Amino acid sequence: MKIVCRTTNRVFVGLPINEQFTIDVFIGAQIINLFPEFLKPLVGPVLTKVPGRIKRAVHHIRPLVEEQLKQRERHGKDWPDKPNDLISWLFDEAKEIAIRVLSVNVAAIHTTTNALTHTLFNLAAYPEYVAPLREEVESVIEAEGWTKLSMQKMRKLESFIMESQRSAVGAQAMNRKILQNFTFSNGITLPAGTEVAIASYETHLDDKNYDRAHEFQGFRFSNMPHEGEGLKHQFVSMAPNYYTFGMGRHTCPGRFFAVNELKAMLVYILLNYDVKFPNDGPRPDNFWFSGLLTASRTAEVMFKRV
Ligand code: HEM
């Protein structure tokens, strides 16, 4: 999580923001949810660490905001060397910059950390994939360098990450609350206030959707036909049997960033390190909590320079 948080915020704001904020938000949410609706606004500030974390972020982000203001006063909306980062984009669109930066952090950090961890665990658990993956990334980087385009050409790596995500989805996804009564075509009506979700685990681990769905097949997606099919079977394009980034209007807008970030981190690992579990142990069990599934938080992966 430390690595993902530092990498992500280097891109967002040029600073390595501490990952503790996102942890405290999730703990805080669990605490607040224990209380009735009318007490929630009172409980949040008293029983959670979130307000303190926001204060610290404001302290770090204020100089960046002040610099933006100074430049904007001097040059207007654009100037040479204007940073192409989250602060600049938000300045164009939004107020309360620090809170916005932290909100994007909440969406970005745990998700990417979990994805990276599952993929890393699979790399350590299935060493037979290392050679073909290394061969792919070495040849692409040699031919194209470290560019966004070169990342797109790493189909095996992308497949390996997608499969790591597919085989580790939680019980449900795309949770929604119905705001007005809704009647399906079969006549069933759900009243306003009903909460619905899609059975993600059942979809992604169903043999009808995937050949031997419970088996980890790292190149499952890269072995599917792609020619002339545009975005089909790509990580960023969702399908009824693959929606790890959600679907529809609220599909994760950060997925293009996340996929490139994950690939860049894994390329670096593949080019520089061999990984394995202590004593060549197997993949550690995942951890279920209230329908959510995360990679083990205590397992260790050993790194050795190649
Ligand atoms: C592997 C990493 C990631 C995964 C698996 C992931 C997954 C998701 C999922 C499942 C949703 C809900 C979609 C729905 O309900 O239909 C979502 C929403 C969102 N994600 Fe991501 N995400 C990731 C990384 C990121 C990153 C890096 C960012 C920001 C740069 C981001 C920003 C957002 C935002 C702002 C939303 C809310 C969209 C909305 O409600 O309209 N995510 N993400």
Side-chain angles (χ1 to χ4, degrees):
M1 178 178 280
K2 277 194 170 62
I3 296 171
V4 170
C5 201
R6 290 175 77 91
T7 312
T8 307
N9 281 293
R10 278 272 175 215
V11 179
F12 284 177
V13 294
L15 286 173
I17 288 180
N18 189 305
E19 74 283 358
Q20 198 56 45
F21 173 75
T22 61
I23 297 172
D24 287 337
V25 165
F26 284 103
I27 296 174
Q30 297 292 338
I31 296 173
I32 291 170
N33 273 338
L34 296 173
F35 288 83
E37 212 56 43
F38 75 97
L39 277 180
K40 284 181 181 168
L42 305 173
V43 170
V46 181
L47 294 187
T48 78
K49 293 183 181 163
V50 175
R53 295 283 171 204
I54 292 177
K55 220 164 144 186
R56 283 183 61 181
V58 170
H59 173 75
H60 289 303
I61 291 172
R62 177 170 284 141
L64 303 179
V65 174
E66 284 171 354
E67 178 61 21
Q68 273 280 334
L69 281 170
K70 213 165 78 189
Q71 296 293 353
R72 273 168 196 265
E73 237 168 62
R74 201 173 297 157
H75 304 285
K77 226 176 145 194
D78 282 308
W79 62 93
D81 301 328
K82 178 179 164 184
N84 182 13
D85 64 6
L86 191 60
I87 300 272
S88 297
W89 309 332
L90 291 173
F91 240 98
D92 293 336
E93 300 296 335
K95 293 181 180 152
E96 298 178 320
I97 309 281
I99 291 179
R100 298 291 173 121
V101 171
L102 294 174
S103 306
V104 178
N105 264 263
V106 170
I109 302 303
H110 287 262
T111 45
T112 312
T113 301
N114 203 34
L116 178 66
T117 310
H118 282 302
T119 312
L120 198 55
F121 282 1
N122 288 332
L123 213 50
Y126 306 107
E128 65 273 22
Y129 286 99
V130 172
L133 284 172
R134 203 169 265 160
E135 200 183 302
E136 177 184 78
V137 301
E138 271 172 0
S139 67
V140 173
I141 294 286
E142 204 179 297
E144 314 256 344
W146 287 77
T147 65
K148 240 160 79 175
L149 196 65
S150 68
M151 299 285 152
Q152 272 172 30
K153 297 195 171 163
M154 297 172 186
R155 308 257 2 152
K156 286 185 179 153
L157 179 59
E158 175 151 326
S159 173
F160 195 82
I161 306 170
M162 283 177 81
E163 177 73 347
S164 300
Q165 285 286 89
R166 183 194 70 83
S167 49
V169 285
Q172 80 251 12
M174 294 166 63
N175 302 55
R176 305 283 188 264
K177 189 174 192 172
I178 294 178
L179 297 180
Q180 39 185 302
N181 293 356
F182 183 85
T183 305
F184 289 100
S185 54
N186 63 3
I188 293 178
T189 299
L190 298 179
T194 310
E195 292 187 25
V196 292
I198 289 187
S200 182
Y201 186 91
E202 295 305 322
T203 307
H204 290 89
L205 289 135
D206 187 342
D207 285 340
K208 284 198 220 92
N209 291 332
Y210 293 98
D211 168 47
R212 284 167 286 145
H214 284 265
E215 190 178 293
F216 182 84
Q217 297 180 22
F219 297 149
R220 186 189 288 280
F221 294 96
S222 52
N223 286 338
M224 290 177 178
H226 288 93
E227 290 308 315
E229 296 204 66
L231 286 176
K232 207 167 173 198
H233 312 312
Q234 286 195 18
F235 201 3
V236 291
S237 48
M238 298 297 104
N241 63 351
Y242 194 92
Y243 44 84
T244 56
F245 283 117
M247 196 148 27
R249 215 161 135 195
H250 294 283
T251 310
C252 174
R255 64 193 189 283
F256 303 92
F257 176 87
V259 172
N260 281 325
E261 183 184 28
L262 283 167
K263 282 186 177 169
M265 290 189 284
L266 287 157
V267 170
Y268 186 82
I269 291 170
L270 280 163
L271 292 180
N272 291 289
Y273 298 99
D274 280 329
V275 292
K276 67 169 202 149
F277 292 117
N279 306 318
D280 294 315
R283 217 201 113 113
D285 286 338
N286 292 324
F287 174 68
W288 281 97
F289 178 73
S290 170
L292 301 172
L293 183 140
T294 61
S296 164
R297 296 172 58 196
T298 49
E300 285 179 10
V301 176
M302 296 167 77
F303 283 66
K304 189 178 93 188
R305 266 209 176 272
V306 287

